[in-house]
Each structure stands twice: as C-alpha cells, then as structure tokens.
Amino acid sequence: QVQLVESGGGLVQAGESLRLSCAASTRTFSVYSLGWFRQAPGEEREFLAAISWTQRSTYGNSVKGRFTISRDNAKNTVYLQMNSLKPEDTAIYYCAATSLGVGVTSYQRYNYWGQGTQVTVSS
C-alpha cells in the first residue's frame, strides 16, 4: 500500500515557475515508478512525466523541455519542476505510483494516486 500526498500547487502568472512535491508513505519506495498527470475540467487525464528508481525519466510531448521530474529516494519524494508556465497548464496535478514497469504513460496502469493539487496559471 502506498499513500501519496502532493503539495506546491497555487496561482502563478504566465512565464513563472512552480515546483510540485509528492511524498510517498511506503517502506518499498524502490519498487515503484512515479508519475505526474494532470486533468483539466472536461478533459482526460494527461500523462506528464514518469521516473524510475534508477532516475530514468519519460516525458509527455506537451511538457518536454519545460517540466522536469526528479525523485529523492532517501526522502520518498518525487518532484515536478515546471518552468515557463502557460494558461493551458491550468489543471489539477496528480502524483501516481506504479509497480508495473518503467516509463509507464497510461494512467490506467498506475496503482496508487494522490489527492491532487490545483495549479492555476493566469495570463
């Protein structure tokens, strides 16, 4: 069982940056790949980034070059650094964990989810 708690969301202006954090409560953090997704009203959940225990990362096309995922295995925490934010980045951002492999981009293959954190980017 894994509990995930996101933090760091908020209201920013276009062009600014935010860093999201996700703390995992589990004794077996190393077996999980961690991912970030987002969902805007009326939209499907969108894959943003994923990272394995060995720091191998995968990115969705819409955020490649602007967002960076990282994890601190000693702190059981994964981060999402978001730069050059745009109004279309406005959404609820979710952290998720999967034991089903590395570089998993489908939300359906993630076992555990956080409650989400709101990110709003004003123009």
Side-chain angles (χ1 to χ4, degrees):
Q1 193 77 4
V2 182
Q3 291 184 325
L4 301 169
V5 179
E6 301 99 334
S7 61
L11 171 64
V12 297
Q13 293 189 336
E16 294 185 339
S17 299
L18 272 178
R19 188 176 82 154
L20 304 182
S21 301
C22 175
S25 298
T26 175
R27 294 184 178 181
T28 56
F29 190 61
S30 63
V31 309
Y32 295 99
S33 291
L34 280 299
W36 285 98
F37 292 76
R38 68 187 179 190
Q39 189 165 19
E43 302 289 332
E44 291 191 354
R45 195 160 293 194
E46 179 188 8
F47 169 76
L48 301 178
I51 190 165
S52 70
W53 169 258
T54 57
Q55 309 289 349
R56 174 182 166 185
S57 58
T58 305
Y59 292 94
N61 289 333
S62 65
V63 302
K64 201 173 294 185
R66 294 192 300 128
F67 291 10
T68 302
I69 191 171
S70 61
R71 67 189 282 173
D72 186 334
N73 292 326
K75 295 183 178 179
N76 280 18
T77 301
V78 62
Y79 305 96
L80 186 68
Q81 177 67 41
M82 306 186 294
N83 298 329
S84 302
L85 283 163
K86 307 173 183 179
E88 51 264 44
D89 292 319
T90 296
I92 299 175
Y93 283 67
Y94 296 93
C95 170
T98 180
S99 57
L100 299 180
V102 174
V104 178
T105 62
S106 170
Y107 72 89
Q108 295 170 324
R109 298 189 67 194
Y110 281 78
N111 314 82
Y112 303 100
W113 291 85
Q115 82 288 351
T117 185
Q118 177 71 47
V119 172
T120 304
V121 184
S122 64
S123 57

